[in-house]
Amino acid sequence: MSGTNQPEDHRGRQDHPGAAHPVDGTESYGYGDGQPAPPPSPGPFGAAVPGPVHGSPAASPSPGPFGAAAPGPVPGPPVGLPTSPQVGLPTSPPVELPASPPVGPPTGPVSAPSAAPGAQTLSAAPGAQALSAAQAGAALRRFGIGNPLPTFVVGGLAYVVALCAALLVIVSAIIAALAVDTGGLPSGASAPTTGPVAPSGDGGWELLVGLVGIPFQLVSLASFGSYEMTLRMGFLGNATMGWRGLPLVITVAMAGTAFLAARFAQRRWGSNGMLGAVLWSGISGLAVAIFAVIATRLTAFAAEDDTLGMSLSMHSAGIDMFFGTWALIALPLLLGHIAGMQKPSWWPLVADLAAAPRLVLVHALGFALPVFVLMAGGGAIAMALDGEGRTALVLFLALPIWGLNALALLPGLGMLAVPMHVNLRGDVEGLGVDRTDEFLWFFDLPWYGWIPMVLIALLAPILVALLWNRDREIVRGNILGLAASWIALPLAYVACSVALLALVWTGAHARMGMLGQITVNVSLALWMPLVAFVIGALVEVLARFGAPFVDRFLPGVLVNWFRRSARARRTDGHALGTDQGRGPEQMPPGPPPGAPILPRW
């Protein structure tokens, strides 16, 4: 019996539930103040009828001395129903009850209650599974692993944007080809059509697949792949030609979309920490790379002519483009997640390490864009004066093909100590050219190109030093913060120069059996990272010791945009520090502490 309903004192023992105890008006017997009921009366067959079960209408307790029902041996409701038949309740004929022990609950198993635990277990199983899933999700979030769906969607979106950029390149190439002056055919003449115009049957289907697969081949080429063409000419041998060079408009479109969309997704639906960002970015990049290899190989261009015994195959699928696609998707996704995360309290110690690559990008674009515009304008005017206006038009229409690659070469030349390396070797004498291994410096350009290049190259470090100085936060008295502030710019210039070397490297080779082979490589000089390190250190010195004297005279609209997010974080931090000590009702309106920062593009 429950200790709540049975008193334990010097006047009675709890192990005799049917014993009567004197009542002095101050004791409480469970739900009522009445005396305990007498022992149950014997049943119709001489066996004692078991007491009423709690909540069961099978039997009603007898009224107590004050009109209330006295509790039975087993706890019942606070006030029982009267047993008198005058209340109008329907009566039922006597029911034959099984024999039971005189006192105490039945000791044998009861069949009806035994089914209840099983039913409860079956009914509670879905809830237990849901609870387990919720607990597993909470445990993963504690380790920084959240929802992977936004990262997977962004990875696929980046590849789709790269295909759209490839279509832009194809369209520009077609338009430029149509604008070329053929000039070789007289009026009314047509090109000869001797021989088969297009293969038929299975060959026509292969040609169609090859044309549809051109965007996939270009995206593969933009992901550090190499385009290989193999021509089997029977007894004449085989000819192999290859091209390795990134159409940078496709590469930038894919990597830029991955970074910006991942940053937006992290700020908007951010549920991933560092571990989740690394995990889901790697898996998303791997999935896109696997799909890209399969699609590129299935859409390879192939043609075969059994009558001549010749076959041609062209594709860019390989292990190089697999790892290139994986890196160009996974790394921007990871950096975008990191850029969109809430910054920890120790972030000011290493904030310069994150801001330095942005300053390098601003420096490169601030130099290359005006130089490119001046050189392109001057070159177009010179061509028009020489009667080559159509050539200038063709180059302008083909700008998506070569424009970004030429723009990427200019920051290297703008260092004034990094030339462009041109290497031509092999059996090239038969083509009427000589072998060469030379460097092209900035002063080898036309005068309207190298004069503005030198002037802007000398002015650009001063301007970016002013940007770097405005609203800069250096933690004084901390060795880690001081070291990070000094090495941030030199390391960023070195890292970006290495990336630029990989992006602008272009090579072509041809092996033509008995005719020999030819190899052509165009790249920036390999000592470019060393020069970039010196420029980064120079900008850091100018920002520390020269920019503070000029900073007060600069309008904010020119320099405040660079560290806008860092300034907003400091403002939020000062607001939270001012509000410490206030109660919830005294806090100013706005997002609660710890709320994610609004997206800033």
Side-chain angles (χ1 to χ4, degrees):
M1 300 300 293
S2 171
T4 304
N5 295 329
Q6 299 297 331
E8 284 186 326
D9 54 11
H10 62 281
R11 289 170 292 182
R13 294 176 57 189
Q14 189 177 356
D15 55 351
H16 291 79
H21 304 280
V23 179
D24 56 4
T26 62
E27 299 181 40
S28 176
Y29 291 90
Y31 298 103
D33 294 331
Q35 297 177 352
S41 58
F45 297 98
V49 180
V53 182
H54 176 68
S56 173
S60 301
S62 58
F66 301 100
V74 181
V79 179
L81 296 176
T83 57
S84 174
Q86 282 80 8
V87 296
L89 296 176
T91 59
S92 58
V95 180
E96 202 174 273
L97 299 176
S100 60
V103 179
T107 58
V110 182
S111 59
S114 62
Q120 293 176 359
T121 303
L122 292 177
S123 62
Q129 293 175 359
L131 184 61
S132 300
Q135 290 176 347
L140 290 177
R141 282 191 293 272
R142 280 197 297 268
F143 289 98
I145 301 177
N147 185 11
L149 186 59
T151 307
F152 293 163
V153 171
V154 169
L157 177 63
Y159 191 77
V160 172
V161 171
L163 290 176
C164 295
L167 291 176
L168 175 63
V169 171
I170 295 172
V171 171
S172 65
I174 294 175
I175 295 176
L178 294 176
V180 174
D181 186 13
T182 54
L185 297 177
S187 176
S190 59
T193 57
T194 304
V197 177
S200 59
D202 295 338
W205 172 251
E206 293 176 355
L207 178 62
L208 179 62
V209 172
L211 293 176
V212 172
I214 292 178
F216 293 96
Q217 307 295 330
L218 288 178
V219 173
S220 172
L221 193 63
S223 304
F224 297 98
S226 58
Y227 199 76
E228 300 289 338
M229 181 178 67
T230 302
L231 177 63
R232 297 176 177 84
M233 298 178 292
F235 66 92
L236 295 178
N238 299 333
T240 303
M241 288 169 279
W243 170 271
R244 184 185 295 274
L246 277 65
L248 283 184
V249 64
I250 304 175
T251 307
V252 171
M254 180 165 60
T257 301
F259 174 79
L260 296 176
R263 186 180 67 173
F264 174 78
Q266 180 67 28
R267 290 177 174 177
R268 181 64 179 85
W269 304 287
S271 61
N272 286 297
M274 181 59 69
L275 182 59
V278 173
L279 177 63
W280 302 135
S281 299
I283 294 177
S284 179
L286 177 63
V288 174
I290 293 174
F291 172 80
V293 169
I294 296 175
T296 305
R297 196 66 186 91
L298 291 179
T299 57
F301 180 82
E304 185 174 355
D305 191 340
D306 296 333
T307 59
L308 299 177
M310 300 175 61
S311 63
L312 176 67
S313 64
M314 296 185 295
H315 68 88
S316 57
I319 192 67
D320 47 2
M321 65 85 54
F322 172 78
F323 286 106
T325 305
W326 192 356
L328 288 176
I329 294 292
L331 288 180
L333 284 178
L334 177 60
L335 295 177
H337 278 294
I338 294 175
M341 289 179 185
Q342 284 185 293
K343 304 304 183 287
S345 59
W346 47 263
W347 183 255
L349 297 176
V350 295
D352 283 346
L353 294 176
R358 291 193 295 117
L359 186 78
V360 177
L361 181 62
V362 170
H363 189 175
L365 292 178
F367 167 80
L369 284 176
V371 171
F372 180 80
V373 171
L374 291 174
M375 291 183 63
I381 294 174
M383 288 182 180
L385 294 176
D386 293 340
E388 298 291 337
R390 182 177 290 273
T391 303
L393 176 62
V394 171
L395 291 176
F396 176 77
L397 293 176
L399 199 61
I401 302 175
W402 63 272
L404 209 55
N405 293 71
L407 191 70
L409 288 171
L410 291 178
L413 294 176
M415 294 180 181
L416 306 182
V418 178
M420 186 170 62
H421 185 205
V422 179
N423 183 14
L424 178 61
R425 63 182 185 272
D427 303 319
V428 298
E429 291 80 2
L431 301 177
V433 295
D434 298 328
R435 300 181 185 181
T436 180
D437 187 5
E438 61 181 355
F439 296 94
L440 299 178
W441 297 84
F442 67 93
F443 47 78
D444 291 324
L445 298 173
W447 64 268
Y448 53 81
W450 70 264
I451 291 180
M453 177 182 291
V454 172
L455 296 177
I456 298 175
L458 296 177
L459 184 63
I462 301 175
L463 298 179
V464 296
L466 296 175
L467 277 179
W468 188 245
N469 173 72
R470 174 63 65 95
D471 290 331
R472 189 181 185 186
E473 184 180 9
I474 300 177
V475 181
R476 304 294 181 181
N478 188 287
I479 299 300
L480 177 61
L482 290 175
S485 67
W486 275 105
I487 67 174
L489 277 184
L491 287 182
Y493 272 85
V494 170
C496 292
S497 65
V498 172
L500 189 61
L501 282 176
L503 291 175
V504 302
W505 191 90
T506 303
H509 68 271
R511 296 179 180 87
M512 296 173 288
M514 296 180 295
L515 299 179
Q517 62 179 5
I518 299 174
T519 302
V520 181
N521 294 321
V522 178
S523 65
L524 293 171
L526 296 180
W527 59 81
M528 179 181 174
L530 179 61
V531 180
F533 181 87
V534 175
I535 294 177
L538 175 64
V539 173
E540 179 64 38
V541 171
L542 291 176
R544 285 180 182 266
F545 304 107
F549 297 100
V550 188
D551 184 74
R552 67 187 69 182
F553 304 107
L554 294 176
V557 69
L558 296 179
V559 290
N560 283 346
W561 55 270
F562 182 72
R563 296 187 187 270
R564 181 182 56 184
S565 23
R567 186 166 56 251
R569 281 195 299 270
R570 285 198 299 269
T571 302
D572 296 341
H574 291 327
L576 291 177
T578 305
D579 294 330
Q580 288 179 358
R582 298 184 182 181
E585 68 281 353
Q586 298 174 333
M587 293 293 290
I597 302 174
L598 294 177
R600 297 182 180 90
W601 291 89

